[in-house]
Structures are given as C-alpha cells and as structure tokens.
Amino acid sequence: MKERLLSYQEKQWVRFIISLCLVVLSALIQTYALQVLLKPAGLLSSGFTGLAILINHIGALNNINISISLMIVLLNLPVAILCGKSISFKFTVLSSLQFVCVSIFLSIFRFKILFNDMMLNIIIGGAVYGFGIVCALYANASTGGTDFIALYVSNKTGKSIWFYVFVYNCILLCVFGFVSSWKMACYSIIMQFVSTKVIDSLYHRYDRSTIQITSTKPEEIVKKYTQKYRHGISVWQSYGGYSHQQNFMLNTVVSTLEVKEIAQLILSVDPHAIINVYRTDDFYGGFYRKPID
C-alpha cells in the first residue's frame, strides 16, 4: 500500500513539474507574441494584459508613465484571489505564476521584430498568442484575467464561453479605437478572432463525444469502464447483419479529451470491438466532468 501511495505521489509531482514548464512556456510565448508581432504593429492583445496595455496607452496620452508589467499584476491579483476560492489552490498558483512570468519577461526580454507586414502580424500574432493561452490551459492553469473568469464560469456551467471572452475583448478594443485609432482597433479585432479560433480548435475540455461500441463482451467492458470513469453507459442487445450472430451495443457520452484513452481501454478488453465516435453538440441531463485540479 505504501509503494502505491509513493508511486501516486511521484506521478503527481511529475504532472506538477510538467504543468510548471507549460506555464512558463505559455508566458514566454505570449511575451514573444507581444513584443515581436503585436506591439510593433500597434495591435492590442486580449484580456487583462490588453487592458494593462490600454491603460499604459491612455497614460502616455496624458504624459503619465504607467508600467505595463505592474498593471498586469495589479489587475490580475484581485481576480486570482476571488476565483481561487471557488476553483482550486493549485489552479490559482499556476495561473498566478503565468501572469507574473509575463510581467517579468516583458521587463527583461527584448526580442527582434520579424515582420513589417500588417496582415502577417495579425494572423501569426493571433495564432501565436492563442497557442500561448492553450499551453496554459493544458497545464490546468489560465493566463489570468478574463481566462480566470471564463474557466470559473465554464467549470460551473459545463459550457465553453470563449465566444463571450471574444465579445469582451471586442468591447475593450472599441475603447482602444475611441482613444487611439479605429483602424488599429479593427485590425486588433481580427487578431483576437484568430486567437480565439486557435484556442477553440486546440482546447476541447468542454466538447463532448458519443462513443458507440459493438461487442460480444458487454459485461467485461462495463465493469472496466465504470471502474475508471463516472459517465453513464447504456447496453442493449443487437444482431450482426453480416455474421448473423448476437452481439451488444454500448453507448456513452464522454469528454472529447477522454475518447482515445477510453477506446484503448475498450480494445484491451475486446480487441474485436467496433468503436464509432461522433461529436455531440447538444446534451441534456446529468454529465460528470472532472473538476480542474
């Protein structure tokens, strides 16, 4: 029993170290995107980082020097404390580390500009910035600010609200357009759209899939499946049109992130099982979702 406990603790430490690396990588990628692609093109980034840049810009118009690095920390800290009480301590620590690293990296790193072409900066900048956010999400963290709020609400409702984050960012950019340039604000909205689509394409925590299994070993599959997963599974008798033999159909709805792992589990029980996976857009009823660590 002691060996199993140590093994579990070791796995948890490995996962935590990987999460730390992903969080630092996320901060580095975002810093790179800001300095190399977004700032040279005059584009405004998303979330509270964008709000910090906007405050800095408004301050500069009034001859007031406001540190972007300091504003990132000051804006994110209250939200981190509020959301941290409702999500988890580990999530809060990792997310706070992310925005603190961005703040530090912006102060110490100076990257060389790559492009002078506006459309390249918009498209590649949006994609790189979005990928930085995805790295943080896969570490079971966030990039702070609106991501904190989005994951908090998504965890409560079970629905992805990245579209609403995009709407918030558009409002932020409208303010940017009013105080600066409407042309640059419109360019920034396009960049935000690219960034949001990258996140939506690569991060599937809130997507669901239906798995349909045809097998002659329903009891063995159900036993193994229910030992590891808390999703419901239905079983009914069926008939093979080609083989003319009795078999069974099993049906379950799972998180898209779990599909490959569940398919491997089923095939380990019945190598001859037929597995059909298709996307589930709407689902009504109870659905277990593993909480954020």
Side-chain angles (χ1 to χ4, degrees), residues 160-186:
S160 174
I161 61 167
W162 296 115
F163 173 76
Y164 301 104
V165 174
F166 173 66
V167 171
Y168 158 80
N169 289 324
C170 287
I171 295 171
L172 181 69
L173 288 162
C174 285
V175 177
F176 175 59
F178 181 77
V179 300
S180 180
S181 164
W182 286 108
K183 181 180 178 181
M184 299 314 299
C186 290

Side-chain angles (χ1 to χ4, degrees), residues 6 15 41 57 66 68 75 103 127 136 152 160 168 171 181 189 191 203 211 220 244 258-259:
L6 289 173
R15 288 176 183 173
H57 181 75
I66 302 173
I68 295 175
L75 289 169
S103 177
Y152 169 76
S160 174
Y168 158 80
I171 295 171
S181 164
I189 289 173
M191 184 277 294
Y203 188 68
I211 301 180
E220 294 92 329
H244 303 292
E258 299 171 319
V259 168

Side-chain angles (χ1 to χ4, degrees), residues 57-71:
H57 181 75
I58 294 172
L61 292 175
N62 294 279
N63 297 318
I64 302 171
N65 184 22
I66 302 173
S67 170
I68 295 175
S69 298
L70 180 61
M71 285 306 303

